[in-house]
């Protein structure tokens, strides 16, 4: 058996139980629980383990950006996070000699309906765990105090979709072994046990301790493994992959305190940039807490690259903060949490092994905490991976889509490192004395970086490159990530692409679908359109139907719908099958949603729209939740969706949206063939007879399934 990555093997204690799972997730931080949330949604048999026996109750990452909130909302608990969080709407953006210069909104206006907000990681984890419990019917639980001991990939099986090529041996720790040690020596809980400044407990020693005890091991055979085990990732090391990049010598202290201060903007996110004592970043939090990121100019790492930890105490860190904020005064009684950090800017060489073991989050990219992206971007990694893995594992999508995980996410990680490098340099540089001072950092430069940083930081500048999941011109392999991504299934010239993109200027291909208000055609209920794009594993074709009452436009719509409803159409050949989860057996994995622009009062759902846009099923009747209108709401005003999406109100257009809300394609109603090609290029299309798949071969069946009442009933 060809294997990779064996570590810490030792004598075992008798026979060990052996189990199989679809997906094993190692690490239950933000990345791991996001992965588990998708798996729960997709109905996969999943286990998630973590070596620590407690979740993080305070500290760590302190907030969510707009895109992260949209993701939580798509999973069904955005409202919980939103209610509890401290929203950051205004943001005085920089200080010279502690002089307020101007204020900017924290999230650029109009980019997202959700603004960035702060809430600690422990709460966010709680929301996730509740959600996972709900959707997995309590079958996916975080197993704590569990350490992986070895990981092997049987390369002879990686092409076989039914095989379990990955074998992971697990060891169970006792309460005591799994408890994180508090190294800081103070009464306040600290995060030093996870900080990169110090060595961690010896995991091999912990594993050895378990050998003596009966029943403390298990062998798991998995189809897929996701390593979400943080900056010192065991999974990454075991696979022999590395992080590239230099650790810089910048050290930062972090404290969560309730401050007593005369500093006026303590409740706004801001940065203080002192002449000689380094920089300080202030982030207001819930319950009157404030997170301070404090640059520690007086400690430097030694020759081995490690800092002297005896020096790093809350008093030492706070004294540095006092110097920076001078002439204002600051003090505190309550400190909730503290830690110290050495900034390393690194990105992983590989994000997967054989598309069977994946790495996500801090395991593949680390960067300075004050750019504040760690948690957001770690969750976003798994938001990108989760549905792909789910659809492939269920045989709905082609395995080659898994390659886009690395091509899409590694580039984002690298962009972040580039941004972070620039930001960190600006942050720890000294202010320029005057315009001729080339070494110093000018305030203009700093301010510009801060504003740009906000754009980047709210997570909405992500723009994925061409692949079989995003149809745009260009070379799929040109994304500098080293993975051989399948090319777009429709070859497009730049000119073709610009023509198509011009049909929906506010819906850029490769970026996430923005949200504006539309109304339910049947009930007039207002919706943020993004709320109709929940994370349930479905692709969506959004038909901007335009003016349905124009005869000419009606003809275009009918012609598009006839092709959509033809037996060979992807719609009738992408039925998800399976059991439970959101992919319930009768639904196509592609949902068709319509937004039209005629007056709602003049329009009738059943009269004016072809059946395929509001399909009928005997058990549930017609679908009243698929057709929306861009019209004025009784209570909520006008969303002006066509205008905001940049779509022509007469002619409309068609948009393909991926399960993670990223835009895959934009085109005309006449371009049905391209829509078909898109799904042929990424899904496994099958033929069905009476709802049962007859063959996975790409030939069209003579007729679609028909309901006994004679109404043509697409199984959807
Ligand atoms: C002091 C500090 C401040 C931060 N501030 C911010 C901020 O302001 N904004 C922001 O967005 N991010 C911030 N971050 C970063 C953020 O916490 C991380 O980027 C984020 O937690 C990464 O998520 P993750 O799931 O990839 O890894 P982690 O959160 O590190 O989770 C990894 C999990 O894997 C477990 N694990 C590790 N090894 C093993 C193993 N061998 N077996 C089983 N389980 C294992 C660990 O116990 C842990 O639960 C901060 C981090 C720190 C330490
Ligand atoms: C991501 O979350 C962090 C948490 O620190 C938040 O402060 C930040 O603003 C979000 N992203 C960014 C950097 O905007
Ligand atoms: C959920 O789990 C319970 C207990 O195991 C079981 O009785 C129930 O049928 C399950 N429900 C679903 C929808 O699977
Ligand atoms: C739209 O309105 C119909 C009719 O009232 C209702 O059955 C359906 O649930 C609504 N759906 C949404 C998403 O508003």
């Amino acid at each position: 058996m060809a294997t990779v990555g064996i570590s810490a093997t030792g004598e075992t204690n008798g026979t060990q139980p052996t189990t199989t799972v679809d997906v094993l997730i190692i690490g239950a931080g933000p990345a791991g629980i996001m992965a588990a949330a998708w798996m729960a949604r997709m109905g996969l048999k999943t286990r998630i383990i973590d070596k620590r026996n407690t979740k993080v109750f305070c500290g760590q990452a302190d907030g969510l950006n707009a895109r992260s909130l949209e993701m939580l909302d798509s999973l069904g608990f955005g409202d919980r996070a939103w209610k509890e969080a401290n929203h950051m709407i205004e943001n005085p953006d920089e200080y010279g000699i502690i002089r307020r210069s101007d204020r900017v909104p924290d999230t650029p206006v109009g980019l997202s309906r959700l603004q960035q907000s702060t809430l600690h990681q422990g709460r966010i984890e709680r929301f996730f765990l509740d959600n996972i419990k709900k959707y997995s019917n309590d079958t996916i639980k975080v197993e704590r105090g569990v350490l992986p001991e070895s990981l092997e990939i049987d390369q002879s099986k990686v092409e076989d979709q039914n095989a379990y090529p990955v074998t992971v041996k697990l060891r169970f720790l006792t309460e005591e072994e799994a408890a994180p040690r508090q190294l800081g020596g103070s009464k306040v809980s600290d995060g030093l046990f996870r900080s990169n400044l110090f060595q961690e407990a010896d995991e091999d020693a912990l594993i050895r301790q378990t050998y003596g005890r009966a029943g403390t091991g298990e062998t798991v055979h998995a189809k897929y493994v996701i390593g979400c085990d943080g900056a010192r990732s065991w999974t990454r090391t075991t696979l022999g992959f590395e992080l590239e990049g230099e650790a810089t010598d910048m050290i930062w202290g972090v404290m969560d305190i309730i401050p007593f201060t005369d500093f006026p903007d303590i409740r706004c996110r801001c940065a203080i940039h002192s002449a000689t004592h380094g920089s300080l970043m202030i982030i207001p939090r819930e319950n009157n807490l404030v997170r301070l990121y404090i640059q520690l100019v007086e400690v430097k790492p030694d020759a081995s690259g490690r800092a002297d930890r005896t020096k790093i105490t809350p008093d030492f860190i706070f004294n540095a903060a006092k110097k920076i904020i001078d002439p204002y005064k600051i003090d505190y009684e309550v400190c909730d949490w503290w830690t110290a950090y050495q900034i390393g800017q690194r990105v992983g060489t590989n994000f997967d092994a054989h598309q069977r073991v994946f790495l996500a989050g801090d395991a593949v990219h680390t960067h300075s905490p004050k750019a504040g992206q760690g948690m957001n971007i770690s969750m976003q990694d798994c938001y990108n991976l989760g549905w792909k893995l789910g659809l492939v594992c269920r045989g709905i999508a082609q395995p080659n889509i898994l390659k886009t995980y690395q091509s899409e996410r590694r580039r984002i990680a690298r962009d972040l490192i580039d941004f972070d490098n620039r930001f960190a340099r600006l942050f720890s540089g000294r202010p320029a004395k005057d315009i001729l001072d080339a070494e110093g950092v000018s305030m203009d430069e700093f301010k510009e970086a801060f504003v740009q940083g906000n754009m980047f930081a709210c997570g909405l500048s992500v723009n994925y490159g061409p692949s079989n999941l995003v149809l745009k011109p260009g070379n799929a392999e040109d994304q500098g990530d080293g993975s051989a991504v399948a090319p777009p299934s429709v070859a497009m010239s730049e000119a073709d692409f610009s023509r198509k993109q011009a049909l929906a200027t506010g819906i850029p291909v490769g970026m996430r679908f923005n949200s504006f208000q539309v109304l339910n055609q049947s009930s007039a209920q207002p919706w943020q359109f993004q709320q109709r794009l929940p994370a349930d594993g479905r692709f969506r074709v959004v038909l901007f139907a335009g003016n349905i009452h124009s005869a000419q436009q009606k003809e275009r719509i009918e012609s598009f719908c006839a092709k959509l409803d033809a037996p060979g159409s992807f719609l009738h050949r992408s039925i998800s099958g399976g059991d439970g989860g959101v992919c319930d057996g009768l639904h196509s994995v592609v949902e068709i949603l319509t937004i039209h622009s005629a007056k709602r009062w003049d329009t009738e759902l059943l009269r004016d729209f072809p059946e395929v846009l509001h399909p009928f099923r005997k058990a549930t009747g017609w679908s009243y939740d698929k057709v929306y209108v861009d019209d004025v709401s009784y209570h909520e005003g006008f969303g002006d969706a066509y205008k905001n999406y940049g779509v022509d109100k007469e002619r409309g257009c068609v948009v393909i949206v991926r399960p993670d809300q990223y835009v895959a394609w934009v085109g005309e109603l006449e371009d049905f063939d391209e829509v078909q090609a898109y799904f042929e290029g990424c899904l496994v299309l099958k033929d069905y007879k009476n709802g049962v798949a007859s063959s996975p071969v790409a030939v069209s069946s003579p007729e679609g399934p028909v309901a006994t009442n004679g109404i043509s009933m697409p199984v959807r």
Side-chain angles (χ1 to χ4, degrees):
M1 164 160 115
T3 60
V4 294
I6 305 178
S7 89
T9 42
E11 66 278 22
T12 48
N13 188 14
T15 51
Q16 303 206 351
T18 298
T19 48
T20 58
V21 290
D22 291 331
V23 181
L24 173 69
I25 301 166
I26 301 173
I33 53 177
M34 172 60 87
W38 264 120
M39 296 311 131
R41 275 298 178 109
M42 305 297 288
L44 299 192
K45 190 172 169 197
T46 302
R47 285 177 67 181
I48 173 168
I49 60 164
D50 198 293
K51 67 178 180 187
R52 280 189 295 134
N53 61 2
T54 51
K55 55 188 201 77
V56 216
F57 284 109
C58 53
Q60 293 299 338
D62 56 31
L64 291 171
N65 66 19
R67 181 59 195 149
S68 298
L69 286 169
E70 290 180 359
M71 290 180 335
L72 302 197
D73 198 41
S74 78
L75 288 163
F77 56 99
D79 55 330
R80 286 187 72 183
W82 187 240
K83 259 181 227 141
E84 247 179 75
N86 183 349
H87 307 176
M88 301 202 289
I89 308 293
E90 193 184 52
N91 180 2
D93 69 343
E94 51 98 356
Y95 284 79
I97 25 176
I98 316 206
R99 165 174 49 85
R100 188 188 282 142
S101 61
D102 61 37
R103 296 165 186 258
V104 296
D106 211 66
T107 306
V109 176
L111 272 183
S112 171
R113 70 205 154 93
L114 305 171
Q115 285 86 39
Q116 122 180 2
S117 54
T118 62
L119 182 68
H120 73 68
Q121 195 163 325
R123 289 303 294 163
I124 295 162
E125 287 182 14
R126 170 49 43 208
F127 301 152
F128 266 103
L129 296 179
D130 289 351
N131 189 259
I132 291 164
K133 181 173 174 165
K134 176 174 150 199
Y135 282 101
S136 73
N137 192 18
D138 212 9
T139 61
I140 305 177
K141 291 179 197 152
V142 178
E143 300 167 47
R144 299 192 187 274
V146 183
L147 260 183
E149 172 186 8
S150 67
L151 182 151
E152 298 175 8
I153 306 173
D154 183 345
Q155 290 179 31
S156 68
K157 293 185 184 157
V158 294
E159 302 297 332
D160 175 359
Q161 293 311 308
N162 296 316
Y164 294 82
V166 195
T167 302
V168 181
K169 285 194 180 153
L170 303 180
R171 305 300 302 178
F172 302 114
L173 305 181
T174 61
E175 280 284 296
E176 198 187 331
E177 287 161 353
R181 278 188 300 158
Q182 292 282 302
L183 297 176
S186 73
K187 283 188 220 70
V188 179
S189 74
D190 67 65
L192 291 183
F193 70 94
R194 295 183 63 195
S195 166
N196 55 3
L197 287 174
F198 314 114
Q199 293 301 338
E200 263 209 306
D202 182 356
E203 288 170 5
D204 287 353
L206 282 176
I207 287 172
R208 267 193 302 277
Q209 282 176 39
T210 68
Y211 287 149
R213 293 197 304 272
T216 50
E218 180 182 348
T219 301
V220 178
H221 297 290
K223 288 186 174 169
Y224 299 95
V225 169
I226 313 178
C228 303
D229 44 356
R232 294 153 177 267
S233 175
W234 173 90
T235 316
R236 182 189 68 228
T237 318
T238 304
L239 292 171
F241 295 155
E242 285 175 2
L243 294 178
E244 296 172 328
E246 289 297 323
T248 71
D249 60 0
M250 282 181 263
I251 295 179
W252 291 74
V254 190
M255 295 181 87
D256 285 347
I257 58 167
I258 298 180
F260 313 140
T261 182
D262 54 354
F263 183 70
D265 285 332
I266 194 75
R267 294 306 305 170
C268 298
R269 196 173 95 145
C270 58
I272 301 171
H273 194 51
S274 86
T276 52
H277 299 293
S279 297
L280 172 72
M281 180 128 162
I282 294 174
I283 301 177
R285 310 191 46 165
E286 70 282 5
N287 301 333
N288 262 1
L289 283 166
V290 171
R291 157 81 47 107
L292 302 179
Y293 284 104
I294 306 141
Q295 193 184 6
L296 304 178
V297 288
E298 285 166 32
V299 273
K300 293 266 176 270
D302 62 18
S304 73
R306 297 274 158 193
D308 174 6
R309 86 171 167 90
T310 55
K311 267 190 157 176
I312 298 177
T313 62
D315 282 350
F316 178 83
I317 296 172
F318 198 68
N319 271 330
K322 281 181 162 166
K323 286 185 190 158
I324 299 168
I325 208 166
D326 184 74
Y328 293 100
K329 302 277 174 262
I330 187 163
D331 229 317
Y332 72 95
E333 244 338 282
V334 178
C335 174
D336 205 32
W337 184 78
W338 67 278
T339 190
Y341 237 65
Q342 182 173 348
I343 300 174
Q345 312 275 21
R346 300 196 189 92
V347 62
T349 49
N350 302 67
F351 280 40
D352 75 67
H354 306 285
Q355 286 99 56
R356 289 292 185 166
V357 181
F358 296 86
L359 297 171
D362 280 13
V364 268
H365 42 74
T366 59
H367 40 78
S368 79
K370 97 221 139 311
Q373 279 293 332
M375 182 171 62
N376 298 307
I377 209 161
S378 296
M379 293 195 314
Q380 283 156 17
D381 281 347
C382 284
Y383 195 75
N384 181 289
L385 176 63
W387 60 274
K388 295 175 183 171
L389 204 55
L391 291 178
V392 170
C393 197
R394 296 186 65 134
I396 296 168
Q398 297 173 22
N400 67 8
I401 68 168
L402 293 174
K403 292 188 175 161
T404 63
Y405 169 64
Q406 166 156 337
S407 72
E408 294 183 341
R409 297 309 298 175
R410 186 157 185 270
R411 210 193 46 186
I412 301 300
R414 285 178 28 202
D415 287 353
L416 175 63
I417 304 284
D418 289 348
F419 163 72
D420 219 22
N421 269 329
R422 225 161 72 83
F423 205 76
R425 187 183 61 77
L426 288 175
F427 241 97
S428 38
R430 120 192 106 72
K433 290 193 209 77
D434 56 45
I435 197 163
L436 295 174
D437 178 3
E439 299 273 280
V441 176
S442 83
M443 274 301 123
D444 282 346
E445 197 185 344
F446 188 78
K447 194 174 137 187
E448 195 207 294
F450 205 96
V451 170
Q452 257 193 12
N454 267 352
M455 261 297 287
F456 193 90
C458 60
L460 300 172
S461 58
V462 170
N463 189 344
Y464 294 139
S467 70
N468 58 340
L469 290 176
V470 177
L471 301 191
K472 28 158 98 161
N475 184 349
E477 278 162 52
D478 238 18
Q479 299 182 56
D481 67 280
S483 80
V485 181
S489 42
V490 177
M492 241 184 255
S493 71
E494 289 285 349
D496 278 351
F497 177 71
S498 318
R499 248 192 320 274
K500 288 185 198 296
Q501 184 67 78
L503 299 169
T505 51
I507 311 178
V509 176
M511 299 182 79
R512 78 89 170 83
F513 204 108
N514 200 357
S515 195
F516 298 102
Q517 179 188 288
V518 293
L519 310 183
N520 185 331
Q521 168 61 36
S522 308
S523 67
Q525 191 181 349
W527 285 98
Q528 277 292 326
F529 189 63
Q530 214 176 50
Q531 293 178 284
R532 304 323 304 155
L533 311 173
D536 59 6
R538 289 182 210 194
F539 287 82
R540 291 184 173 84
V541 171
V542 181
L543 171 61
F544 282 85
N547 177 11
I548 184 99
H549 298 314
S550 126
Q552 201 193 349
Q553 181 67 2
K554 183 102 193 247
E555 211 170 286
R556 295 179 75 217
I557 294 167
E558 279 171 353
S559 154
F560 178 79
C561 288
K563 290 178 190 152
L564 202 55
D565 212 5
S569 155
F570 66 88
L571 191 61
H572 297 314
R573 297 174 55 220
S574 58
I575 295 163
S576 65
D579 42 301
V582 191
C583 297
D584 76 58
L586 286 176
H587 287 65
S588 167
V589 76
V590 186
E591 184 182 31
I592 312 292
L593 296 175
T594 304
I595 306 174
H596 74 91
S597 64
K599 289 307 282 177
R600 179 173 164 271
W601 284 4
D602 302 338
T603 310
E604 298 283 353
L605 179 72
L606 300 188
R607 181 194 69 196
D608 294 330
F609 294 91
E611 172 116 356
V612 69
L613 302 181
H614 51 87
F616 179 85
R617 277 205 273 155
K618 268 179 108 179
T620 49
W622 274 289
S623 310
Y624 291 102
D625 54 359
K626 311 266 187 227
V627 177
Y628 297 84
V629 54
D630 183 23
D631 203 345
V632 180
S633 148
Y634 293 115
H635 305 289
E636 309 277 336
F638 189 27
D640 224 349
Y642 267 70
K643 183 156 164 259
N644 285 313
Y645 285 130
V647 176
D648 185 273
K649 281 196 150 188
E650 280 299 311
R651 291 179 54 83
C653 68
V654 182
V655 180
I656 301 176
V657 191
R658 313 195 316 187
D660 56 0
Q661 302 177 334
Y662 281 80
V663 179
W665 176 86
V666 170
E668 298 269 17
L669 276 64
E670 284 70 26
D671 295 333
F672 176 83
D673 289 352
E674 295 192 6
V675 181
Q676 177 79 14
Y678 176 83
F679 289 111
E680 281 177 0
C682 63
L683 296 181
V684 179
L685 299 182
K686 299 180 184 137
D687 290 315
Y688 293 83
K689 244 196 156 73
N690 301 321
V692 179
S694 53
S695 80
V697 205
V699 284
S700 50
S701 64
E703 68 223 278
V706 171
T708 44
N709 62 2
I711 299 175
S712 140
M713 186 192 67
V715 186
R716 175 170 59 240

